[in-house]
Amino acid sequence: MSRQRERGVTPQSEDFSAWYNELVVKAELVERGPAKGTMVIRPYGYRMWELLQSELDQRIKDTGHENAYFPLLIPQSYLTREAEHVEGFSPELAVVTHAGGKELDEPLVVRPTSETVIGEMMSRWISSHRDLPMLLNQWANVVRWEMRPRLLLRTTEFLWQEAHTAHVDEADAMRETMLGLEVYTQVARDVTAIPVVPGEKTPGERFAGAVRTYTIEGMMRDGRALQAGTSHYLGDNFARAFNIRYATESGELAYAHTTSWGMTTRMMGAVAMTHGDDQGLVLPPKVAPYQVVIVPIGKGEQLDTVVDAAKDLLSRLRSAGVRTHLDARTHLSPGFKFNQWELQGVPLRIELGPRDLAAGVGTLARRLGDGKEQIPLDTAPELIPSILQEFQDFLLQRATKFREAHTTVVSDWDAFTSAVAGGWALALHCGEGSCEDEIKADTAATPRCVPLDGERESGACVRCGKPSAYGKRVIFGRAY
Amino acid sequence: MSRQRERGVTPQSEDFSAWYNELVVKAELVERGPAKGTMVIRPYGYRMWELLQSELDQRIKDTGHENAYFPLLIPQSYLTREAEHVEGFSPELAVVTHAGGKELDEPLVVRPTSETVIGEMMSRWISSHRDLPMLLNQWANVVRWEMRPRLLLRTTEFLWQEAHTAHVDEADAMRETMLGLEVYTQVARDVTAIPVVPGEKTPGERFAGAVRTYTIEGMMRDGRALQAGTSHYLGDNFARAFNIRYATESGELAYAHTTSWGMTTRMMGAVAMTHGDDQGLVLPPKVAPYQVVIVPIGKGEQLDTVVDAAKDLLSRLRSAGVRTHLDARTHLSPGFKFNQWELQGVPLRIELGPRDLAAGVGTLARRLGDGKEQIPLDTAPELIPSILQEFQDFLLQRATKFREAHTTVVSDWDAFTSAVAGGWALALHCGEGSCEDEIKADTAATPRCVPLDGERESGACVRCGKPSAYGKRVIFGRAY
Ligand SMILES: [Zn+2]
Ligand SMILES: [Zn+2]
């Protein structure tokens, strides 16, 4: 194994899965925890999560939601109150049977999601139409036992945000469901540079207990789909199960209509797989813990001078709001540092050597794109923010082109199988679960969503030839 | 029960405990959750927590610590590796025995604190002196089974921040331990206006597994002490248990010295009990979700004009960085709103009626202090921030005076028992656990801490007459 390989990762083109598994660990995003399927989020990864959190939290608050916190441990009986919900989540539950040195009378489940406990509390808090809409959000950890865990994508415990809202009727709850989806679409596009497709899940892919489930789907660089956020209209299913009723203006009692929507730490995996390459991560500046890394170059007294200049640049870039890191470690070579920061996906690198300094410039290298250029040190704080924005825009454009190039409108089965081998197929489908199952068995592809912006179209099912459902084409693809 | 009482709370002077229990619920900070001992943090309470979090998190980052996240579920065997640690925490553990529909080979405990799992990860990450100090912090939920739960003060699950750090030697680890204590002292004083006393715990009150435990102790308005944050020097106890070793500069292997320090949602209970009164909460402006509430007064068309002016004031105050809420609900009387916002502890209220408006003023009422005054509407955004700062300072001064008035230097047992009945006793003590136990059995008072800034003094133990330990007086008091 070459020295490069030892420090780097398996090339993406060679084995995408190995590339991903090695990358998220070597780039110091995450690591396996001691208990099966658990994950440690390292400081570099957690900072990325904090940046995403802060962008998402601001949008959640700006749209009128309030944060709250509900208990981790839920009486097991709560889960059983909504029939589809318990059926969906039972196989994934972690159960506390003993506490305080005794066996519990009733076991407690570690929340896999909080519709039940929040439903119970909403039923206590809501009595009048004046209490509605109730717009709550929670930042929390949840536990779902995973048979085939995968770092960031499917872990036994993950972090997320779960919004839970209650409304007077279906119309208002559906507006909220679509608002949640729109918030996710914007955050994915504008913060993580992932050009997701918002759409509705087919019945077989709905959240356990939902009437309608919406999703944003991103395309990873191996052509697979990743569900990056979901928004559910729950009808009055949970309102009936937990007796969330309110007095209408005319004084009658009515069930509320509820929604829930969630986005998780899996987004960090999505960023890795949407933008990363053989050299490692490529981070969109908006979620990059370091947007710029400065590497001073030189020896002896020359180095001291360079480091002083680098510190000055660091401080001026930080004052300009640029997240900047100075890598002044003396026991490592510049080449080692270049490789490390490329692996960790830092958007911009500024090398600063004695000759640069004499010329009043730094040597700027972008994480993507060939060649280096010189940047004047005195105006760097004014120039860098727009270079970062260009980089952010470039990533979104590149990912959009990639998705478009790997999405095929198909009208026959051969075209379908060929499309889903390396990307997405836009196909007409009959909407029957058994037909979905056959497609999955043959190709490993599943219906990802019925895109919101799809044009009206109908015809024969690409698989079975029966009349198509949904009135438009469905995205099929292999998924994470 | 009078209408006032129904909406208000039991007077503090009548029954402090009932007052507290009713207040934290009626002021909408928290509520009991479905499972025994669990707690729901409502939006008003959670916003207060977010404000405290943000102040504390900034200081933690400014002192060089990085946030990370470690798993909730820890193999049970980890807890047993440090003998005192397992002994201390075993009775409080919640244990997951089943997951994914099966009984687990090894039960997993829900973290009561994270020294063990972080110790394990540190042992993987630390190999050289260059990796030290390692300064980590985690924001998380933890679970400790409580026999006598009390909202915010002792709940089965609570939220906290836990810093975990590793150092080359005792000196550096002790500097860190004291840094954590200093951060807490400042946050308590400057953010929550609680004049805590920093000091060291006596051996009997140490954290399970610590070599030295430091604490900040606040005095509540019933004279009891509340431990508001702790900082532990763990020696190499956890380093030995989890094999956290590093190569020194000369190439030898040495055990790291570790620390941990934590502050929790109990701080919200401390705020309630330090500043609250018969009318309800009194919130320090820095943690008040709303610093100012505007109540428009009037009827019909007059009210419309007033509400327009109130909206204008709202927008200008918000632009000035003042967290302002406009209570424009039409189905509730001004008197009802005054009571509610007093109960919820909003520092300043501005009433705005037609006559105020005609005079270009609002009527300003402080949550504490008699009388109302007029404030010009056009300069309110410039005036309010300093009025809020005055209010913040006033709360700290008032709490400091209260603590001083209820702290007595005692030299005999009668004085001791009388002092701890309504406050704190500063007493010389022999330092023996059995003597502490006797004091507790007789008076319910325990040694809260040996204050850092206590003057050198020695003499006979206030209880048993043996020579005093610690070289200074100890604070004794009843505690939460
Ligand atoms: Zn079909
Ligand atoms: Zn004694």
Side-chain angles (χ1 to χ4, degrees):
Chain A
M1 188 181 280
S2 72
R3 186 157 167 230
Q4 172 58 33
R5 174 64 72 82
E6 191 179 339
R7 279 162 40 198
V9 290
T10 299
Q12 195 180 67
S13 51
E14 199 174 287
D15 183 342
F16 195 88
S17 181
W19 169 83
Y20 175 80
N21 292 338
E22 294 169 22
L23 176 60
V24 294
V25 172
K26 290 195 176 180
E28 300 190 358
L29 293 182
V30 291
E31 203 160 302
R32 279 184 185 72
K36 182 173 183 287
T38 63
M39 163 175 79
V40 172
I41 308 179
R42 299 189 69 173
Y44 193 70
Y46 199 81
R47 186 72 193 119
M48 196 175 148
W49 176 239
E50 284 182 324
L51 291 165
L52 180 62
Q53 260 194 314
S54 144
E55 294 273 1
L56 181 51
D57 191 62
Q58 194 55 57
R59 286 165 172 84
I60 289 171
K61 284 178 172 145
D62 286 347
T63 48
H65 303 79
E66 295 184 301
N67 286 339
Y69 188 78
F70 297 86
L72 171 76
L73 301 175
I74 303 178
Q76 196 167 37
S77 60
Y78 275 44
L79 269 284
T80 62
R81 290 209 209 159
E82 213 288 331
E84 288 186 16
H85 194 64
V86 67
E87 195 185 323
F89 281 105
S90 273
E92 301 183 357
L93 296 177
V95 187
V96 172
T97 55
H98 292 70
K102 288 186 192 166
E103 184 167 359
L104 295 170
D105 292 336
E106 180 183 357
L108 299 171
V109 303
V110 184
R111 65 178 162 224
T113 177
S114 302
E115 278 76 8
T116 59
V117 64
I118 295 181
E120 167 67 18
M121 299 313 294
M122 279 183 168
S123 79
R124 298 188 200 173
W125 294 336
I126 292 170
S127 57
S128 155
H129 63 93
R130 289 200 188 87
D131 302 320
L132 297 175
M134 182 168 282
L135 308 176
L136 300 176
N137 180 62
Q138 165 170 273
W139 289 96
N141 53 345
V142 289
V143 170
R144 299 178 185 177
W145 214 252
E146 288 288 348
M147 289 303 110
R148 289 179 306 278
R150 188 127 193 228
L151 283 168
L152 286 169
L153 305 182
R154 283 187 309 276
T155 44
T156 292
E157 178 190 9
F158 57 87
L159 304 184
W160 77 347
Q161 148 281 320
E162 49 179 323
H164 294 269
T165 71
H167 304 263
V168 288
D169 58 18
E170 173 171 354
D172 201 52
M174 274 302 300
R175 262 194 296 278
E176 170 75 15
T177 307
M178 301 317 286
L179 171 68
L181 193 70
E182 176 60 22
V183 165
Y184 290 159
T185 306
Q186 286 179 17
V187 164
R189 186 188 62 208
D190 300 340
V191 179
T192 63
I194 303 177
V196 292
V197 175
E200 185 172 1
K201 285 287 186 194
T202 61
E205 300 274 327
R206 269 183 207 138
F207 176 76
V211 174
R212 307 182 78 157
T213 286
Y214 293 84
T215 178
I216 53 170
E217 299 281 325
M219 182 187 282
M220 306 297 102
R221 287 185 72 77
D222 61 352
R224 291 191 185 229
L226 185 134
Q227 174 181 304
T230 49
S231 184
H232 315 290
Y233 167 57
L234 305 169
D236 59 9
N237 292 348
F238 286 88
R240 286 181 185 275
F242 289 91
N243 199 32
I244 309 172
R245 292 198 291 178
Y246 68 95
T248 65
E249 287 197 54
S250 59
E252 286 152 27
L253 276 183
Y255 284 107
H257 289 243
T258 66
T259 85
S260 65
W261 34 287
M263 183 176 266
T264 82
T265 36
R266 122 185 291 229
M267 276 303 278
M268 294 160 65
V271 166
M273 291 196 293
T274 300
H275 304 299
D277 63 19
D278 287 357
Q279 277 66 52
L281 291 178
V282 178
L283 295 184
K286 294 213 170 144
V287 292
Y290 305 135
Q291 297 172 315
V292 174
V293 64
I294 305 172
V295 180
I297 300 172
K299 295 195 172 167
E301 278 181 29
Q302 277 192 325
L303 181 60
D304 294 343
T305 314
V306 166
V307 168
D308 284 348
K311 282 181 182 164
D312 177 62
L313 179 61
L314 172 74
S315 134
R316 288 187 299 119
L317 285 174
R318 283 187 177 167
S319 296
V322 178
R323 289 188 292 275
T324 312
H325 177 66
L326 168 61
D327 187 352
R329 292 175 293 178
T330 52
H331 65 292
L332 298 172
S333 71
F336 183 98
K337 294 178 186 179
F338 295 173
N339 285 337
Q340 183 192 333
W341 297 118
E342 281 175 11
L343 182 67
Q344 295 200 245
V346 176
L348 303 179
R349 177 178 80 223
I350 299 176
E351 303 161 23
L352 200 57
R355 268 199 289 183
D356 295 308
L357 200 54
V361 298
T363 300
L364 177 75
R366 291 178 173 76
R367 176 60 182 79
L368 286 182
D370 291 332
K372 298 178 178 185
E373 67 192 271
Q374 302 209 308
I375 182 168
L377 291 176
D378 55 354
T379 54
E382 288 98 81
L383 299 172
I384 293 288
S386 60
I387 298 175
L388 288 169
Q389 185 60 51
E390 278 167 30
F391 192 79
Q392 178 91 24
D393 296 342
F394 167 73
L395 290 186
L396 180 63
Q397 283 157 20
R398 191 178 72 134
T400 306
K401 278 185 201 153
F402 182 89
R403 190 198 70 202
E404 286 166 356
H406 293 79
T407 301
T408 315
V409 177
V410 301
S411 48
D412 62 58
W413 184 244
D414 276 356
F416 182 98
T417 55
S418 147
V420 299
W424 294 353
L426 271 169
L428 291 170
H429 188 260
C430 63
E432 287 183 21
S434 56
C435 183
E436 286 184 9
D437 292 346
E438 283 179 28
I439 290 175
K440 187 175 183 181
D442 273 15
T443 66
T446 50
R448 303 316 307 151
C449 70
V450 184
L452 291 190
D453 69 353
E455 282 169 34
R456 306 295 303 172
E457 196 174 345
S458 56
C461 173
V462 71
R463 169 76 184 183
C464 70
K466 288 188 192 154
S468 69
Y470 314 118
K472 51 172 87 168
R473 286 178 183 270
V474 179
I475 294 179
F476 278 84
R478 299 185 193 173
Y480 280 98
Chain B
M1 186 182 277
S2 73
R3 187 159 164 229
Q4 173 57 31
R5 173 67 68 84
E6 190 179 339
R7 278 161 42 198
V9 290
T10 299
Q12 194 181 67
S13 51
E14 200 174 287
D15 184 341
F16 194 88
S17 180
W19 169 82
Y20 176 79
N21 292 338
E22 295 168 22
L23 177 60
V24 294
V25 172
K26 290 196 175 179
E28 299 189 359
L29 292 182
V30 290
E31 202 159 302
R32 279 183 185 74
K36 183 172 184 288
T38 63
M39 165 174 77
V40 172
I41 308 179
R42 299 189 69 175
Y44 193 71
Y46 198 82
R47 185 73 194 119
M48 196 175 148
W49 176 240
E50 283 183 323
L51 291 165
L52 179 63
Q53 260 193 314
S54 145
E55 294 273 1
L56 181 51
D57 190 63
Q58 194 55 55
R59 286 166 174 82
I60 289 170
K61 285 178 171 144
D62 286 347
T63 49
H65 303 79
E66 295 184 300
N67 286 339
Y69 188 78
F70 298 85
L72 170 77
L73 301 176
I74 303 176
Q76 196 167 39
S77 59
Y78 275 43
L79 267 288
T80 63
R81 292 210 208 158
E82 213 289 333
E84 288 187 16
H85 194 64
V86 66
E87 195 186 322
F89 281 104
S90 273
E92 300 182 358
L93 296 177
V95 187
V96 172
T97 55
H98 293 70
K102 287 184 190 167
E103 185 165 0
L104 295 169
D105 292 336
E106 181 183 356
L108 300 171
V109 303
V110 184
R111 66 178 161 223
T113 177
S114 302
E115 279 76 8
T116 59
V117 64
I118 295 181
E120 167 68 18
M121 299 312 296
M122 280 183 168
S123 78
R124 299 189 200 173
W125 295 335
I126 292 169
S127 57
S128 156
H129 62 92
R130 288 199 189 88
D131 302 320
L132 298 175
M134 182 167 281
L135 308 175
L136 299 177
N137 181 62
Q138 164 169 271
W139 289 96
N141 54 345
V142 289
V143 170
R144 298 177 185 177
W145 215 251
E146 288 289 349
M147 288 302 111
R148 289 180 304 278
R150 189 124 191 231
L151 284 167
L152 287 169
L153 305 181
R154 284 188 309 277
T155 44
T156 293
E157 178 191 11
F158 57 87
L159 304 184
W160 77 346
Q161 147 280 322
E162 49 180 323
H164 294 268
T165 70
H167 306 262
V168 289
D169 58 17
E170 172 170 354
D172 201 53
M174 273 302 298
R175 263 195 296 276
E176 169 76 15
T177 307
M178 302 316 285
L179 171 68
L181 193 70
E182 177 60 23
V183 165
Y184 290 159
T185 306
Q186 286 179 17
V187 165
R189 187 188 60 209
D190 300 340
V191 179
T192 62
I194 304 178
V196 291
V197 175
E200 185 172 0
K201 285 287 186 193
T202 62
E205 301 273 327
R206 268 183 208 136
F207 175 77
V211 174
R212 306 182 80 159
T213 286
Y214 293 83
T215 177
I216 53 170
E217 299 281 325
M219 182 185 283
M220 307 297 100
R221 287 185 72 76
D222 62 351
R224 291 191 186 230
L226 184 134
Q227 175 181 305
T230 50
S231 185
H232 315 292
Y233 167 57
L234 305 170
D236 59 10
N237 292 347
F238 287 88
R240 286 181 185 274
F242 290 90
N243 199 32
I244 310 172
R245 290 198 292 179
Y246 68 96
T248 65
E249 289 197 51
S250 60
E252 287 152 26
L253 274 183
Y255 284 108
H257 288 244
T258 66
T259 86
S260 66
W261 34 288
M263 184 176 264
T264 81
T265 35
R266 122 186 290 229
M267 277 302 277
M268 293 160 66
V271 166
M273 292 196 294
T274 301
H275 304 299
D277 62 19
D278 287 355
Q279 278 67 53
L281 293 177
V282 177
L283 296 185
K286 293 209 171 147
V287 291
Y290 304 135
Q291 297 172 314
V292 174
V293 63
I294 304 172
V295 180
I297 299 172
K299 296 197 171 163
E301 278 179 30
Q302 277 191 326
L303 181 60
D304 293 344
T305 315
V306 167
V307 168
D308 284 346
K311 283 180 182 164
D312 177 64
L313 180 61
L314 171 75
S315 137
R316 289 185 301 120
L317 285 174
R318 284 185 176 167
S319 298
V322 178
R323 290 188 291 276
T324 312
H325 177 66
L326 167 61
D327 187 351
R329 291 175 293 178
T330 52
H331 65 292
L332 298 171
S333 71
F336 183 98
K337 295 177 184 177
F338 295 172
N339 286 336
Q340 182 193 335
W341 298 117
E342 281 175 11
L343 182 69
Q344 296 199 245
V346 176
L348 302 179
R349 178 179 78 225
I350 299 177
E351 305 161 23
L352 201 57
R355 268 197 290 184
D356 294 309
L357 200 54
V361 298
T363 300
L364 177 75
R366 291 175 173 76
R367 176 58 182 80
L368 287 181
D370 291 331
K372 299 179 178 183
E373 66 192 271
Q374 301 209 309
I375 182 167
L377 292 177
D378 56 353
T379 54
E382 288 98 84
L383 299 171
I384 293 287
S386 61
I387 298 175
L388 288 169
Q389 186 59 53
E390 278 167 29
F391 192 80
Q392 178 91 22
D393 295 344
F394 167 72
L395 290 186
L396 179 63
Q397 283 158 19
R398 190 179 72 135
T400 306
K401 279 185 200 154
F402 183 89
R403 190 198 71 201
E404 286 166 355
H406 292 79
T407 301
T408 315
V409 177
V410 300
S411 49
D412 62 57
W413 183 246
D414 277 355
F416 182 98
T417 55
S418 144
V420 299
W424 294 353
L426 271 169
L428 292 169
H429 188 259
C430 62
E432 290 184 18
S434 56
C435 184
E436 284 184 7
D437 292 344
E438 285 179 27
I439 290 176
K440 186 174 184 181
D442 272 16
T443 66
T446 50
R448 303 316 306 152
C449 70
V450 186
L452 292 190
D453 70 352
E455 283 169 33
R456 306 295 304 172
E457 197 175 344
S458 57
C461 172
V462 71
R463 168 76 182 187
C464 70
K466 289 187 192 156
S468 69
Y470 315 116
K472 51 172 84 167
R473 288 179 182 271
V474 180
I475 293 179
F476 278 85
R478 300 185 194 171
Y480 280 97

